[in-house]
Amino acid sequence: MSERKQILFVINPISGGKHKTSFKKQVLDVLDLQKFDPTFQQTARPNHAYEIGLKAIEEGYDAVIAVGGDGTINELGSALVGSGIPLGIIPEGSGNGLALYLGVPMNEAAAIRRINRFESIEVDCGVINERRFFNIAGLGFDASVSENFANENIRGPLGYMKSVFNVLSKYQPAHYKLTIDGKVYERQAFMISVANSPQYGNNAYIAPQASVNDGILDVCIVHKFPLYILPKMIFHLFNKSADQSNYVEIIPGKNIQIEVDKISPVHVDGEPIELGDKLDISIMPKALKIIC
């Protein structure tokens, strides 16, 4: 019998507000232990998954599995870019945007069984001021929501919706200057999302035509809209028709610069960070292998 593949499960214990105390037992029950030798490690702080990912490369693991949400995937994926080591996903986040788009089962046991096949695809990696992202990065309203959600004591979709309404009550659109593949655009926008995949999570599609392996990013500009339009905007998001809204403009590009009048939060795969008032964004084609 050939030597078993060494795979590392990296568990975010607080993602999605879900308890993961029985996860190891689930893996040992479902994973094909004749093919795989699993190891488990929990994250303990922000950026810990990134550090674990770098160490996994040094230690020669055959695969690393993110047990968490888009933030955990971001940290591990950022570490594994260019290594050739595939990243697996067990979706345990609040939104699970990338996993949903890739068709990774939301059921824990089914997602583990998918790893048994050990089939992978290559996906693009976006880069924003040297920070990597695989799903969506953005600024404006959704970044402010991410910042609010990061400080919310209620996790999961309920906590996220609470943050949406907290921010919506006082949010003001901003002026942006965008340069997309050399062409300049000036926009007063509610928010700007730079999409590698089509959806934020929970099947809310901001860029229905986006693809993780086309070598292109979709710049989604949501213009200021009257509040009474909000139900229709939400309908477009969940009906995969945001690109049909009069208030949404989508411009594809590979090299993107965004300047904003005042420094505001930016989110990278849902995690809020400060990156200043000038953003340089590019794409690394087929930079990461993902098991799906």
Side-chain angles (χ1 to χ4, degrees), residues 113-228:
R113 279 194 292 271
R114 185 68 64 95
I115 293 167
N116 286 334
R117 301 187 332 193
F118 211 70
E119 296 174 357
S120 65
I121 63 168
E122 293 179 314
V123 304
D124 302 334
C125 171
V127 183
I128 178 167
N129 284 18
E130 300 184 358
R131 283 291 299 264
R132 293 167 175 172
F133 66 97
F134 303 92
N135 196 45
I136 295 176
L139 61 167
F141 177 75
D142 59 343
S144 296
V145 170
S146 293
E147 185 179 55
N148 187 281
F149 182 60
N151 298 310
E152 177 60 61
N153 56 12
I154 302 173
R155 305 307 294 171
L158 185 63
Y160 192 81
M161 289 308 299
K162 182 181 176 184
S163 293
V164 167
F165 288 106
N166 284 346
V167 174
L168 189 62
S169 63
K170 52 184 182 264
Y171 182 77
Q172 293 296 320
H175 179 263
Y176 300 92
K177 178 182 177 182
L178 303 95
T179 306
I180 303 173
D181 291 344
K183 187 172 181 180
V184 178
Y185 305 81
E186 301 262 355
R187 296 290 188 268
Q188 187 81 8
F190 183 72
M191 68 182 193
I192 296 176
S193 295
V194 182
N196 187 40
S197 99
Q199 65 158 294
Y200 291 120
N202 297 309
N203 291 312
Y205 283 71
I206 185 63
Q209 307 305 318
S211 168
V212 294
N213 48 21
D214 62 358
I216 295 171
L217 296 167
D218 283 21
V219 183
C220 310
I221 304 166
V222 179
H223 299 280
K224 183 179 179 181
F225 58 87
L227 199 55
Y228 71 84

Side-chain angles (χ1 to χ4, degrees), residues 22-280:
S22 63
F23 178 75
K24 182 176 178 180
K25 181 181 184 302
Q26 179 90 294
V27 169
L28 297 177
D29 287 343
V30 176
L31 192 70
D32 186 344
L33 298 179
Q34 291 187 327
K35 290 170 60 178
F36 303 103
D37 181 13
T39 304
F40 303 86
Q41 187 167 354
Q42 283 198 358
T43 60
R45 60 187 180 275
N47 212 45
H48 193 195
Y50 178 76
E51 297 166 12
I52 293 170
L54 291 179
K55 192 172 181 183
I57 297 171
E58 291 179 13
E59 294 178 349
Y61 278 93
D62 295 297
V64 179
I65 315 300
V67 186
D70 286 322
T72 308
I73 293 167
N74 177 278
E75 289 192 24
L76 287 171
S78 295
L80 296 177
V81 159
S83 71
I85 298 173
L87 175 69
I89 300 172
I90 308 296
E92 299 280 10
S94 299
N96 302 308
L98 189 60
L100 282 165
Y101 168 66
L102 293 173
V104 177
M106 293 296 107
N107 175 273
E108 198 171 78
I112 296 167
R113 279 194 292 271
R114 185 68 64 95
I115 293 167
N116 286 334
R117 301 187 332 193
F118 211 70
E119 296 174 357
S120 65
I121 63 168
E122 293 179 314
V123 304
D124 302 334
C125 171
V127 183
I128 178 167
N129 284 18
E130 300 184 358
R131 283 291 299 264
R132 293 167 175 172
F133 66 97
F134 303 92
N135 196 45
I136 295 176
L139 61 167
F141 177 75
D142 59 343
S144 296
V145 170
S146 293
E147 185 179 55
N148 187 281
F149 182 60
N151 298 310
E152 177 60 61
N153 56 12
I154 302 173
R155 305 307 294 171
L158 185 63
Y160 192 81
M161 289 308 299
K162 182 181 176 184
S163 293
V164 167
F165 288 106
N166 284 346
V167 174
L168 189 62
S169 63
K170 52 184 182 264
Y171 182 77
Q172 293 296 320
H175 179 263
Y176 300 92
K177 178 182 177 182
L178 303 95
T179 306
I180 303 173
D181 291 344
K183 187 172 181 180
V184 178
Y185 305 81
E186 301 262 355
R187 296 290 188 268
Q188 187 81 8
F190 183 72
M191 68 182 193
I192 296 176
S193 295
V194 182
N196 187 40
S197 99
Q199 65 158 294
Y200 291 120
N202 297 309
N203 291 312
Y205 283 71
I206 185 63
Q209 307 305 318
S211 168
V212 294
N213 48 21
D214 62 358
I216 295 171
L217 296 167
D218 283 21
V219 183
C220 310
I221 304 166
V222 179
H223 299 280
K224 183 179 179 181
F225 58 87
L227 199 55
Y228 71 84
I229 294 291
L230 183 60
K232 188 173 182 180
M233 297 293 285
I234 293 172
F235 169 80
H236 279 305
L237 277 176
F238 288 97
N239 195 45
K240 301 184 184 180
S241 58
D243 53 345
Q244 297 173 31
S245 169
N246 293 331
Y247 294 96
V248 177
E249 179 182 10
I250 299 180
I251 305 168
K254 296 182 178 181
N255 292 289
I256 302 147
Q257 293 79 43
I258 302 176
E259 298 177 48
V260 63
D261 288 346
K262 59 180 180 179
I263 295 176
S264 58
V266 175
H267 81 84
V268 177
D269 287 340
E271 300 298 316
I273 53 175
E274 293 286 346
L275 289 178
D277 58 0
K278 293 183 180 178
L279 305 176
D280 283 298

